[in-house]
Amino acid sequence: MIVPAARVIRLGLVLTAALALPAVGLCAILRGGSGAASAALGLGIVVVFFSVSKLAVGAVARRAPQHLLAAALGTYIFKIAVLGGLLLSIQDSSALDLPALAWTIFVGVFVWMGAELWVATHTRVPFYDPDRPGAWDPAHRPPA
């Protein structure tokens, strides 16, 4: 059983929205219009990156939990490849402010990781499947 994706996505979106106003405003002041646009793009990349994982892994967990690890690793590899391609395609862009983009992605990642950590530590999710017969039987304890 995994933490419900909706809780993490909801909290991540709320925290990202709270971060967006000061981040975009600060980048606009320090780096101009391209800095503000780059900050907004960076936060958008973070939202998509984390949301895709949660939605894909959550869907697999509901339908075929035995394929959860493969789905998580496959989703991660796919996201890293797409992100790498995106970053390679914008590395020489003059329309974007790359330091503003990088810093907002950096801060946004920590915001989403914090959201995931908070939800995981404040959600009562058992580490076993209570619906599966014989999932845990106190009579079958390992020898001490």
Side-chain angles (χ1 to χ4, degrees), residues 4-22 40 42-52 54-55 107-116 118-119:
R7 280 186 170 166
V8 175
I9 292 173
R10 193 176 320 118
L11 182 60
L13 288 173
V14 167
L15 293 177
T16 302
L19 171 66
L21 185 62
L43 291 175
I45 289 171
V46 171
V47 167
V48 169
F49 189 85
F50 280 93
S51 297
V52 164
K54 286 295 175 188
L55 293 173
V107 174
V109 165
F110 281 99
V111 164
W112 271 83
M113 287 174 31
E116 288 194 14
W118 192 90
V119 170

Side-chain angles (χ1 to χ4, degrees), residues 45-118:
I45 289 171
V46 171
V47 167
V48 169
F49 189 85
F50 280 93
S51 297
V52 164
S53 294
K54 286 295 175 188
L55 293 173
V57 171
V60 171
R62 284 189 303 278
R63 290 178 181 84
Q66 68 272 18
H67 298 298
L68 195 58
L69 181 61
L73 290 175
T75 303
Y76 183 75
I77 290 168
F78 174 74
K79 289 186 324 179
I80 292 298
V82 169
L83 181 63
L86 175 69
L87 293 177
L88 284 174
S89 70
I90 65 171
Q91 72 180 352
D92 296 325
S93 173
S94 60
L96 293 174
D97 187 336
L98 296 182
L101 177 75
W103 278 106
T104 53
I105 289 174
F106 181 76
V107 174
V109 165
F110 281 99
V111 164
W112 271 83
M113 287 174 31
E116 288 194 14
L117 182 63
W118 192 90

